[in-house]
Amino acid sequence: MRFRRLTVPLLAALAFAAVAAQAGAQPCLIFVHGKQTDTNTYTSYTSARNYWVNGSNDFIKTATKNFATSYYVVGYNGTRPYWEPQAAGEVANEIVNATNGGADGGGHRCAKTYAQGGTFWVVAHSMGGTIMDYILGNNDSTDPNFNANGPYDQVAQRLSLAIAVGGAHRGSQGADAVCLNSNVLCSFIAIFIQSCDDATYWLRSSDDVQVRTFSNAPAKTVYLTGGYEAIFGASACLNGEDDGVVQYASIFACNGSATASYDNTNVCNNSNKQEASGFRNLDAAHENHSDERDASDSDTRKAIPGGNWTCSGSPCAPNTTVATMTTAQYITLLY
Amino acid sequence: MIDAKKKMALAMVMLAAPTLGLRPAAAQIVPGQLARETAKDYREAARYPASSHALKKGDADPIRAKRLPTRQTRRGPDEAEPALSVWAAKVSFEKGQPVDLYATLDNRGKAVAPADLAGEIVDGNGGIVALVAYRDDGQGPDRKAGDRVYSARWKPEGLEAPQAASYMVRVKARLADGDLRQAAGGFLYSDPSAHLTGRYRDALRDGNLVISAEVDVAEAGRFHLAGTLYAASGDPVGFAQNALNLEPGKHWIDLAYYGLMFHERQAAGPYRLGALALSTTTRMPNALNDLVEDAYVTRSYRVQQMRADSFERPELIEAAKRLEMDAERAEREAREPQKQ
């Protein structure tokens, strides 16, 4: 009895120590959500956290290997243009807070600070990708919008890399449809894009609102993955493969027209991005825009040009089925 | 005791569970590869300062690429043809310039004629500021009659616009069968607070080529200048940018092309400033001046006059070191999974 009393706490302590050591050695994951139709994720941590949850499915729990890896959840005003203080400014400040060891709204903090040698990876969904492009492309004093409304330079210094999931790097044809008042056929888009509000206006696919018009190549690499599961109705408004809200040309940050049609075989490779450097392909998943961020659809994953799946020692041919798993599970393979 | 062991084993399985997705045996993600390759990229990029980098032969001009207007194309329901494509003559028009807009209807590569083609120009608040009709009559902005590239011109007058504003162009095409196609384009309308005077000079400074451009500032603000440099052969050499806060009056803005790029490209001078872009970046949206092509040709220089050392940008070197440690850990864990 005495042995048992001593052993159980000892094992628990060892388990805690093991988890803590692992967390200390792995990158802290910083989650940046996407477009919102209200300000809830900005005003409520619970809303920001729940962005990544669908019932019992939890993107953050999965991506952090059951919370073994430390994490931080960012909440910003997803109704404002990507470049505004409550969007890019808030995200930049929160990322720096995370790297300083500060807690997010739920009390979660990175296991190591930047000063202690910690590494930090951002996982951004949808408009979160656009915001990261703006921050990381305006981090130097010679950039057009250097530190416009936040410490972009510190963000760029301290992040190791970013992973954009279904990122709206070149805007969204869903936003075009909503701002054209022709979204009757695109009803599902309303979950993310309800009206042509300010954020939506700045997520259109024309050059005057594109993040690349107002920034340089990202200072740290932005890795690209996204879904190709159509959404009935919504996908009819988007060119080529899409996740029901964002078309491939945007998810994979392609150069040229943001409305060009691409699929898994021909989506732009790493030499044909919206910037000459700083964007790299990962893979594509049979997930829609909602599945991508809540780990609710463990489905087929496909290789794409310039992606990171290896088949028998060589890059897998584009459109090869490489796995069946959620994007959150896939992220666990990357670190 | 047994219960505790079971709980521990269960906990370990749960920790590993998320990584147990199904995949073909042949396809894999190499552990640590992402971190290692990212680190390699950073060490490569660290050879240059953030303000300047080399361009490779065959690279697209990064400044021109951003100023080249792209087409926004939209089909009918379920990607039905024909597709309506819309675009503006420029990404940004300077105050006083007419705004030329274009549209085509295209059925799998074959141009078709609409029954009617019209556009609304909408400001950022959703207000319609103008209606335009697209024509294919060879008049005004329309380059050739009957080529099925439809053109419209808007002459903004009396706009109380800020330094720069974004305008959306909502275009509707009525097809011959009565069906409708819609597409959304847009443009910036800019009133920059500074302009290039056309005076340039060049010098060697610390082994770097510095090209200075004179600007005339009408209103205090922040100004960004970027330029691409070409060799006499026509091949691209490099990119440089700078940004300064300036008061009204005439000022010089320097673009410093880091010396290493001339060694890597083995390019002796004179050099041509191929694309030069000034913008007022005091606030968003930025006000873009018209792109200046072939603005200036420098004096002759020998490659040996340029510095050949790597810049070793510290923040990228540090990031690379940390990523390499991440990669080592991931590789170690993959080799010894039982110790995880």
Side-chain angles (χ1 to χ4, degrees):
Chain A
M1 192 64 186
R2 176 184 163 78
F3 177 73
R4 179 175 174 148
R5 274 204 307 269
L6 286 173
T7 308
V8 171
L10 181 63
L11 282 171
L14 284 172
F16 176 79
V19 168
Q22 188 179 28
Q26 292 174 330
C28 177
L29 300 185
I30 301 172
F31 295 91
V32 181
H33 63 76
K35 170 84 179 72
Q36 292 289 280
T37 56
D38 57 44
T39 60
N40 287 353
T41 53
Y42 182 52
T43 56
S44 155
Y45 171 79
T46 304
S47 294
R49 179 67 181 84
N50 285 342
Y51 180 88
W52 304 92
V53 176
N54 180 357
S56 61
N57 300 303
D58 183 347
F59 187 105
I60 292 176
K61 180 180 180 183
T62 303
T64 58
K65 303 178 185 175
N66 220 6
F67 306 123
T69 299
S70 63
Y71 69 97
Y72 184 107
V73 180
V74 170
Y76 67 93
N77 188 344
T79 70
R80 302 306 306 157
Y82 60 82
W83 46 267
E84 280 204 357
Q86 291 186 356
E90 175 67 20
V91 172
N93 277 302
E94 288 204 42
I95 290 173
V96 170
N97 183 47
T99 63
N100 284 335
D104 66 13
H108 306 284
R109 64 185 79 235
C110 294
K112 277 186 180 178
T113 67
Y114 181 77
Q116 291 167 335
T119 55
F120 307 89
W121 293 17
V122 159
V123 178
H125 182 239
S126 190
M127 178 178 158
T130 324
I131 289 174
M132 292 312 301
D133 294 351
Y134 188 72
I135 292 171
L136 293 173
N138 284 301
N139 70 298
D140 187 77
S141 62
T142 61
D143 285 328
N145 294 288
F146 170 63
N147 282 0
N149 45 33
Y152 300 176
D153 53 349
Q154 289 183 64
V155 173
Q157 179 199 26
R158 296 176 181 189
L159 285 189
S160 292
L161 55 89
I163 298 168
V165 181
H169 306 279
R170 299 294 313 279
S172 158
Q173 284 188 283
D176 291 349
V178 170
C179 291
L180 276 166
N181 300 318
S182 69
N183 59 321
V184 179
L185 297 165
C186 323
S187 53
F188 192 84
I189 282 175
I191 290 177
F192 293 93
I193 311 170
Q194 213 161 45
S195 66
C196 190
D197 61 22
D198 289 341
T200 305
Y201 184 90
W202 281 89
L203 287 174
R204 291 178 298 112
S205 56
S206 61
D207 303 306
D208 54 305
V209 292
Q210 296 275 298
V211 65
R212 73 171 186 161
T213 302
F214 305 107
S215 53
N216 274 322
K220 294 292 172 65
T221 305
V222 178
Y223 284 94
L224 308 163
T225 182
Y228 63 92
E229 183 175 8
I231 295 175
F232 180 74
S235 289
C237 300
L238 307 171
N239 290 347
E241 290 289 8
D242 60 81
D243 63 7
V245 174
V246 185
Q247 66 281 9
Y248 259 28
S250 185
I251 290 174
F252 294 104
C254 298
N255 61 9
S257 171
T259 61
S261 294
Y262 294 110
D263 59 28
N264 290 326
T265 66
N266 66 6
V267 71
C268 59
N269 61 20
N270 297 328
S271 300
N272 287 284
K273 297 303 188 191
Q274 67 189 46
E275 301 285 354
S277 63
F279 289 97
R280 285 189 175 274
N281 288 347
L282 289 173
D283 75 348
H286 192 251
E287 293 175 308
N288 66 35
H289 200 67
S290 185
D291 301 335
E292 288 165 354
R293 53 79 195 249
D294 63 22
S296 61
D297 182 15
S298 181
D299 210 331
T300 303
R301 302 197 77 83
K302 297 274 192 178
I304 56 172
N308 76 332
W309 283 96
T310 300
C311 290
S312 306
S314 300
C316 298
N319 208 35
T320 301
T321 298
V322 289
T324 301
M325 65 178 75
T326 65
T327 292
Q329 287 175 305
Y330 169 69
I331 286 172
T332 67
L333 303 178
L334 301 180
Y335 66 93
Chain B
M1 181 64 186
I2 293 168
D3 286 346
K5 267 187 178 173
K6 277 184 179 172
K7 282 176 187 169
M8 281 295 292
L10 190 60
M12 291 305 174
V13 169
M14 285 175 68
L15 279 172
T19 65
L20 298 178
L22 299 172
R23 61 178 182 272
Q28 64 162 334
I29 298 293
V30 177
Q33 186 184 46
L34 190 82
R36 201 166 284 289
E37 291 191 350
T38 309
K40 188 179 166 192
D41 286 346
Y42 292 170
R43 288 191 182 280
E44 173 78 13
R47 296 178 310 125
Y48 286 90
S51 60
S52 175
H53 59 81
L55 295 172
K56 290 195 281 289
K57 190 174 181 177
D59 276 356
D61 187 304
I63 295 174
R64 282 197 193 102
K66 289 190 181 187
R67 293 298 188 92
L68 195 65
T70 62
R71 298 181 182 208
Q72 285 72 56
T73 300
R74 201 149 175 268
R75 293 177 174 76
D78 296 323
E79 303 210 33
E81 301 287 344
L84 174 62
S85 294
V86 300
W87 70 101
K90 295 194 282 190
V91 171
S92 177
F93 298 87
E94 282 196 51
K95 187 178 179 182
Q97 296 176 342
V99 175
D100 289 345
L101 304 166
Y102 303 102
T104 56
L105 263 178
D106 191 280
N107 192 342
R108 293 184 177 83
K110 187 178 176 187
V112 295
D116 183 55
L117 191 57
E120 297 172 340
I121 297 174
V122 182
D123 67 19
N125 298 319
I128 298 172
V129 297
L131 301 174
V132 292
Y134 287 79
R135 294 194 175 86
D136 187 20
D137 56 6
Q139 303 294 309
D142 195 56
R143 287 166 196 160
K144 188 180 174 188
D147 64 355
R148 293 189 174 166
V149 177
Y150 292 79
S151 314
R153 174 169 286 174
W154 176 49
K155 293 180 178 174
E157 288 170 358
L159 278 182
E160 290 298 322
Q163 185 183 84
S166 156
Y167 290 90
M168 175 168 56
V169 184
R170 287 199 293 236
V171 184
K172 286 184 186 176
R174 181 72 61 188
L175 308 183
D177 63 4
D179 210 353
L180 195 66
R181 292 288 181 274
Q182 291 179 283
F187 59 87
L188 278 173
Y189 201 70
S190 296
D191 185 9
S193 299
H195 287 85
L196 292 159
T197 65
R199 293 182 68 203
Y200 302 92
R201 62 192 185 198
D202 59 279
L204 269 184
R205 208 175 294 160
D206 300 327
N208 305 313
L209 173 63
V210 179
I211 299 179
S212 306
E214 190 186 53
V215 295
D216 190 0
V217 176
E219 184 184 344
R222 186 168 188 277
F223 303 93
H224 179 260
L225 185 69
T228 44
L229 199 66
Y230 288 78
S233 64
D235 292 332
V237 177
F239 167 94
Q241 64 169 3
N242 200 357
L244 296 172
N245 289 304
L246 297 173
E247 294 297 319
K250 289 186 177 170
H251 304 271
W252 291 91
I253 302 180
D254 295 341
L255 295 177
Y257 293 85
Y258 192 68
L260 178 62
M261 69 176 65
F262 302 97
H263 291 270
E264 294 201 326
R265 298 291 162 263
Q266 279 299 299
Y271 306 103
R272 177 173 52 88
L273 199 50
L276 187 66
L278 177 67
S279 50
T280 306
T281 60
T282 311
R283 62 185 73 90
M284 278 287 285
N286 301 156
L288 311 186
N289 296 70
D290 283 351
L291 188 71
V292 179
E293 304 262 6
D294 299 333
Y296 180 65
V297 177
T298 70
R299 290 173 286 159
S300 293
Y301 292 96
R302 287 177 292 110
V303 171
Q304 293 71 23
Q305 292 177 275
M306 311 294 183
R307 69 190 300 162
D309 60 320
S310 169
F311 186 81
E312 294 298 291
R313 205 175 337 155
E315 69 273 19
L316 282 180
I317 298 293
E318 177 63 26
K321 282 179 187 167
R322 294 189 187 202
L323 278 164
E324 283 155 358
M325 288 169 66
D326 276 358
E328 283 167 22
R329 174 197 46 77
E331 289 157 0
R332 189 172 60 248
E333 287 177 2
R335 283 194 305 270
E336 304 165 354
Q338 69 280 5
K339 290 185 180 176
Q340 285 182 59

